[in-house]
């Protein structure tokens, strides 16, 4: 059942929940995932664009949670999944509104978990997913005022990998998970050396996230109107292929270690 919905409209989100419950009898899982992004120097991006990112990425999740939690409470069980980002842990330059929104999503999840626990709703779960870079069209759709084309910062993971992680949470809920080994390493590094990690992130964004060769005309992207065309899951950053290559190299490296250990044992 596809129900086109503007997540910034609370009534529209309520109608989505109503339609789903009417069609299927109940709601077992709700995933808040809609998001937009904005690149630009802090004092140069239009304030209306800044507000729009927060309206979609934060208030959209608030509307979703408010629509579904009363139903989950009434049922006594269910899972709410909020998709944040590793940028909800480690901020980066030029995406201030997006980073703020992803930090807010983590805070929302933590607050809701505490509230549900105090109510004794142990079977109503709230989970937060924090992916690293994912191969979707979000960068092509982004608002951009840097003058430089936004590129996917490696490593890039497939959208299917994030979907599998969400399904895993539905089956076995956890507070928070990071999708992608590089993302997990980044989060660990930030906990150990936050200052160093911030400096490293600044350099990575400048060198790999914003092109030094390809210019980008100023654009508000899809913040205020949908992008043209039928839409796509894949952004063309070869996330699935790169994931397969990484797995192959990891397997080869592991096989080499095992072989070396076996020879040493002999």
């Amino acid at each position: 059942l596809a129900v086109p919905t503007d997540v910034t409209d609370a009534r529209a989100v309520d109608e989505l929940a109503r339609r789903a419950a009417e069609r299927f009898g109940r709601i077992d899982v709700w995933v808040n995932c809609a998001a937009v992004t904005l690149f630009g120097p802090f004092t140069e991006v239009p304030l209306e664009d800044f507000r729009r990112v927060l309206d979609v990425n934060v208030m959209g999740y608030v509307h979703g949670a408010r629509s579904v939690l009363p139903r989950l409470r009434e049922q006594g069980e269910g899972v709410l999944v909020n998709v944040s980002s590793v940028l909800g842990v480690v901020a980066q330059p030029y995406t201030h509104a997006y980073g703020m929104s992803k930090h807010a999503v983590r805070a929302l999840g933590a607050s809701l978990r505490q509230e549900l626990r105090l109510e004794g709703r142990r079977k109503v779960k709230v989970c937060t997913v924090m992916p690293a870079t994912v191969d979707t069209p979000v960068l092509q759709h982004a608002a951009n005022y840097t003058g430089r084309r936004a590129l996917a910062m490696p490593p890039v993971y497939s959208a299917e990998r994030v979907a599998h992680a969400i399904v895993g949470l539905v089956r076995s809920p956890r507070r928070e998970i990071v999708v992608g080994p590089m993302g997990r390493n980044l989060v660990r590094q930030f906990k150990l050396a936050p200052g160093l990690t911030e400096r490293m992130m600044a350099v990575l964004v400048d060198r790999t996230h914003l092109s030094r060769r390809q210019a980008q005309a100023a654009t508000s992207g899809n913040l205020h109107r949908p992008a043209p065309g039928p839409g796509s899951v894949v952004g063309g950053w070869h996330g699935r292929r790169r994931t397969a290559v990484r797995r192959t190299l990891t397997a080869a490296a592991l096989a080499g270690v095992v072989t070396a250990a076996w020879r040493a044992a002999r």
Side-chain angles (χ1 to χ4, degrees):
L1 173 65
V3 183
T5 304
D6 178 358
V7 297
T8 67
D9 182 344
R11 292 183 179 179
V13 180
D14 283 341
E15 177 63 12
L16 168 62
R18 187 194 68 79
R19 293 275 304 274
E22 180 181 73
R23 173 71 175 269
F24 302 106
R26 57 184 278 150
I27 297 176
D28 294 294
V29 181
W30 183 284
V31 181
N32 284 320
C33 188
V36 291
T37 192
L38 163 66
F39 289 84
F42 180 68
T43 57
E44 296 178 21
V45 298
L47 281 176
E48 62 179 0
D49 287 3
F50 205 105
R51 288 193 183 96
R52 179 65 174 173
V53 172
L54 297 178
D55 202 14
V56 173
N57 296 11
V58 179
M59 292 309 299
Y61 282 42
V62 169
H63 296 156
R66 284 172 67 98
S67 293
V68 75
L69 280 175
R71 299 175 185 276
L72 301 186
R73 283 187 172 105
E74 183 179 353
Q75 294 168 184
E77 61 181 355
V79 181
L80 168 62
V81 179
N82 292 323
V83 179
S84 178
S85 166
V86 293
L87 298 185
V89 180
V90 186
Q92 66 181 27
Y94 305 120
T95 59
H96 318 88
Y98 185 82
M100 288 169 61
S101 73
K102 294 306 180 180
H103 276 77
V105 167
R106 287 189 68 206
L108 174 64
S111 294
L112 291 176
R113 280 191 294 272
Q114 294 172 46
E115 188 173 320
L116 290 165
R117 185 176 185 85
L118 290 172
E119 294 175 4
R121 309 279 184 173
R122 300 301 178 89
K123 293 186 178 181
V124 178
K125 304 295 185 179
V126 179
C127 309
T128 302
V129 180
M130 296 180 288
T133 305
V134 184
D135 185 9
T136 71
V138 65
L139 296 179
Q140 291 91 324
H141 295 169
N144 192 332
Y145 298 94
T146 64
R148 301 160 65 182
R149 183 187 175 211
L151 307 173
M153 190 163 58
V156 183
Y157 300 96
S158 68
E160 289 81 2
R161 184 161 184 164
V162 182
H164 284 306
I166 292 172
V167 172
L169 281 179
V170 172
R171 292 172 174 162
S172 181
R174 295 165 57 188
R175 292 177 54 260
E176 295 182 340
I177 63 166
V178 179
V179 182
M182 184 60 71
R184 289 192 288 273
N185 289 338
L186 185 63
V187 170
R188 292 191 196 102
Q189 181 176 320
F190 182 75
K191 290 179 180 179
L192 294 173
L196 175 63
T197 307
E198 284 185 3
R199 293 193 292 272
M200 180 194 72
M201 179 63 83
V203 173
L204 284 174
V205 170
D206 185 55
R207 293 183 178 180
T208 67
H209 206 11
L210 293 171
S211 175
R212 295 187 172 187
R213 298 181 179 180
Q214 298 173 285
Q216 170 71 63
T219 175
S220 60
N222 69 342
L223 294 188
H224 305 287
R225 60 185 60 85
S232 172
V233 172
V234 178
W237 305 107
H238 308 297
R240 181 178 292 180
R241 186 184 70 189
R242 291 180 181 181
T243 296
V245 169
R246 282 193 298 272
R247 287 176 176 173
T248 300
L249 292 176
T250 300
L254 180 60
V257 170
V258 171
T259 301
W262 177 74
R263 288 177 177 174
R266 290 193 65 186

